Amino acid sequence: MADVELFSFTACPYAQRSRLVLLEKAIGFELVEIDLHNRPAWFSEVSPYGKVPVLRHQGRVVYESAIINQYVDEAFPDRPLMPADPFGRAQARIWMDYCDTRYLPAAHRLMVDRESPEKRATALGKLNEVLRFIEFEGLRKLSDGPYWLGVRPSLVDFHFLPFFERFAVYVELAGAAWLPECTRLRSWYDTVASRDSFIATRHTLDFHLDQQRRLNALRAQQQQATISAGVPSRPEG
Ligand SMILES: N[C@@H](CCC(=O)N[C@@H](CS)C(=O)NCC(=O)O)C(=O)O
């Protein structure tokens, strides 16, 4: 067994967060690819939530991408990816939380509502609000860049990055756009997207579009199964 193993799925943006951080910190690790569509029976023993990513370090398991990444940064102190001071670390956590509680739900809502013109317009408005908040309350106030928190990359960059890689999908399928006023956000993306860790883990737009088609087909199948079973559908959340 390798000292560090990462259980991952190539299309998973959360697992990509952890792959990015392990690569950035130059930590040798074994990548264990799990086909989530056809998962091995033993996987439920490794992953308490049945999800990827899971990190196994010296036989002990850590899960949830944000927690894995903070664990890795603490357990392997070389090339630190969190600020040295408590206020800086609080800022980093605020923005990682913002990604999970504001940006991702807004992007998800847009993808779910994209077929209905009125719902799509509302969802686009919300996503644009989030992008402006990132630009004007986040990036422009925090630092001059080029990274989220300043001149050096941090966990915040790799927390957002997989989901800005997928921004091209929101553009292609749901009418999202890089807002002209969000110049710092755009230059942030160009900076982080040129890093070797990203080049090693990114996929093409066609790959992401294909994943989206699979997801749509799966959701349609699940809805059909729910209707056939006469189970009232649950609201998302
Ligand atoms: N909050 C989790 C989300 C991880 C997640 O949703 N992973 C998906 C793949 S992208 C998964 O494993 N899904 C399998 C399942 O839900 O059964 C994290 O940050 O690690």
Side-chain angles (χ1 to χ4, degrees):
M1 187 190 291
D3 195 48
V4 178
E5 299 158 283
L6 186 74
F7 297 84
S8 176
F9 174 54
T10 184
C12 174
Y14 300 96
Q16 189 182 357
R17 281 177 172 170
S18 296
R19 291 175 64 196
L20 286 165
V21 164
L22 287 164
L23 290 170
E24 285 288 336
K25 290 178 72 75
I27 297 168
F29 66 101
E30 184 183 333
L31 187 68
V32 183
E33 185 66 13
I34 302 294
D35 178 357
L36 286 177
H37 305 300
N38 187 16
R39 54 191 85 190
W42 53 261
F43 183 57
S44 61
E45 277 159 40
V46 174
S47 174
Y49 290 170
K51 291 180 190 250
V52 293
V54 170
L55 181 93
R56 193 156 61 188
H57 179 210
Q58 295 173 341
R60 297 189 303 182
V61 151
V62 180
Y63 47 101
E64 285 295 313
S65 58
I67 295 168
I68 292 173
N69 287 355
Q70 290 183 51
Y71 170 80
V72 164
D73 200 46
E74 289 170 13
F76 299 87
D78 283 357
R79 304 192 189 198
L81 290 173
M82 280 294 260
D85 62 302
F87 185 72
R89 286 200 294 278
Q91 293 299 308
R93 293 190 184 107
I94 287 169
W95 286 99
M96 290 191 275
D97 178 71
Y98 191 84
C99 178
D100 293 345
T101 60
R102 311 287 166 119
Y103 173 64
L104 293 187
H108 177 73
R109 179 47 51 204
L110 175 63
M111 292 306 284
V112 170
D113 286 350
R114 68 186 188 275
E115 305 295 351
S116 143
E118 294 101 71
K119 284 186 178 173
R120 176 200 277 222
T122 308
L124 264 177
K126 184 70 205 164
L127 180 63
N128 289 342
E129 224 176 80
V130 166
L131 296 176
R132 286 192 198 98
F133 191 89
I134 289 175
E135 176 76 20
F136 295 102
E137 286 304 312
L139 297 173
R140 290 196 192 202
K141 287 192 178 169
L142 286 163
S143 78
D144 292 332
Y147 294 101
W148 207 281
L149 298 180
V151 291
R152 289 203 340 221
S154 70
L155 292 187
V156 185
D157 297 293
F158 307 112
H159 200 81
F160 274 101
L161 183 53
F163 296 97
F164 274 100
E165 177 187 347
R166 285 147 183 85
F167 195 82
V169 176
Y170 318 149
V171 171
E172 183 78 15
L173 299 182
W178 289 96
L179 301 176
E181 64 270 38
C182 293
T183 50
R184 246 306 256 121
L185 181 58
R186 191 63 220 234
S187 66
W188 165 79
Y189 183 69
D190 291 342
T191 300
V192 278
S194 69
R195 293 194 69 86
D196 289 347
S197 60
F198 180 68
I199 293 164
T201 59
R202 72 181 171 194
H203 287 292
T204 62
L205 177 58
D206 279 348
F207 175 91
H208 290 305
L209 292 172
D210 190 50
Q211 289 299 317
Q212 192 59 47
R213 276 189 283 274
R214 282 164 178 244
L215 195 64
N216 294 344
L218 201 68
R219 281 202 184 121
Q221 244 178 30
Q222 282 167 346
Q223 264 174 8
Q224 197 49 48
T226 309
I227 293 164
S228 314
V231 179
S233 63
R234 272 196 304 167
E236 302 232 5

